[in-house]
Amino acid sequence: YHGTIQSYESDFDIGVSLHACGEASDWVLRKCLERRASWVVCSCCCGKLRRDASNPYVFQSTGANEKQVTYPQSKTFASLGGGNNKVHTITAEDFDEVAKVSDYSQLGDIRQPKNACRRAAKSLVEWDRLLFTKEATQQLEDATVILAKMDPWEASCKNDILIGWLSLDTNPFGNAKPVSDPSCDNDFQIALDHLFGDQSSPGKTGRDQNDWTAKEAHEIESQIDEWVRDNREDYDAILRFPTRMGSRLRKLIHYTAEIKGLRHWGEGKKESDKAVLVSNRRT
C-alpha cells in the first residue's frame, strides 16, 4: 500500500516502524491501537513534534504543516508537573521545550555524562507515548506496553523502542519477563543533579557535564575569573566573548556566569554574529 499511515484501512497483526519522523511514529501507534495490533516502534526527529516545527511527513500527508497530534498526548504525563504539593500541568509550551532539547544525534555520547540532559528529554518524550498507549489499552486486561532500548545501545543514537501487545497469545517474550536495566536511570540522575544541584549533597551546586569537557569548563571559568579581578571596581565593564564559538560553548559561558552571579546575555541573530556578553553588575 502506498499512502499515508492515517489512510491505511486494512487489518494487520503487528506494526513495525524504524525512525518514522516526528509524529509519524505517533500515527503508527494510533493505527495499531485502532486495529488492535501489536507494535514495535522506534521513533526519530522528536524536535519536529514542536508546534512551530515543519515536518515533511505532515506536509506530504496533508498538504499543510499543521500538526494533527496534540502534545503531550498522555493525560497522566501532563499531570506530572506537580511536586511538593504544587500543581502544575505540563503544557504544550513545556512540551515544545522538551521536544526541542531531545532532538540530537551524538552516538559517541551514549553511556557518557555528556548530553545526559538531552537523552533524558528524549526519554520523557517516549514516556509520554508509553503512558498514552497505557491509557488507551487500560480496558484490555492482558495488554502490556513497555519502553526498551536497542541492544546494544550503541546500535543507534535513536535507540528507544516502544513495544506493545494486547493479548497473552501475542506476547513476544513468551513466558519470560522483560528485564529492567537500572543503568537506564543514569541520565535522569545526571540531569537532576545539573538542574537542581547535587541530589546526594543538599545545597551543593550541580556540575554540568552534559555538553562540555572539564578542560573547556576550566578555561571559560578562568577567563571570567581573571576578567572579574581586573575589573572589580568597574561596574560598567563588559566582557565580550568572540563570535563563532558555537551554541555549546555559548551555553557554557551563560551557565558559568549564572553560577558566579554575574549578568549575562547574548547578542546577534545570525549564527555567525552571535556572541555572549558578561557584566560585573549582579543585577
Side-chain angles (χ1 to χ4, degrees), residues 102-113:
S102 72
D103 202 2
Y104 95 111
S105 55
Q106 299 299 320
L107 187 60
D109 293 347
I110 292 177
R111 299 183 192 271
Q112 304 297 320

Side-chain angles (χ1 to χ4, degrees), residues 53-155:
S54 299
N55 186 339
Y57 176 80
V58 175
F59 185 80
Q60 292 167 10
S61 300
T62 66
N65 279 315
E66 287 75 17
K67 300 289 189 295
Q68 296 181 318
V69 177
T70 301
Y71 300 94
Q73 303 178 80
S74 163
K75 295 178 181 178
T76 306
F77 185 88
S79 67
L80 293 178
N84 298 324
N85 298 320
K86 297 178 181 178
V87 178
H88 172 71
T89 301
I90 295 178
T91 64
E93 289 81 5
D94 296 329
F95 193 89
D96 284 347
E97 295 302 320
V98 173
K100 179 179 180 180
V101 174
S102 72
D103 202 2
Y104 95 111
S105 55
Q106 299 299 320
L107 187 60
D109 293 347
I110 292 177
R111 299 183 192 271
Q112 304 297 320
K114 187 178 179 181
N115 275 319
C117 279
R118 304 194 72 168
R119 293 193 300 274
K122 173 66 161 55
S123 294
L124 288 176
V125 172
E126 302 303 338
W127 268 97
D128 178 46
R129 288 172 164 146
L130 178 77
L131 292 170
F132 168 75
T133 55
K134 280 182 176 288
E135 292 167 3
T137 59
Q138 60 184 350
Q139 302 300 323
L140 303 176
E141 183 177 351
D142 296 326
T144 305
V145 294
I146 63 172
L147 176 59
K149 283 188 178 294
M150 291 182 182
D151 184 19
W153 291 9
E154 292 79 8

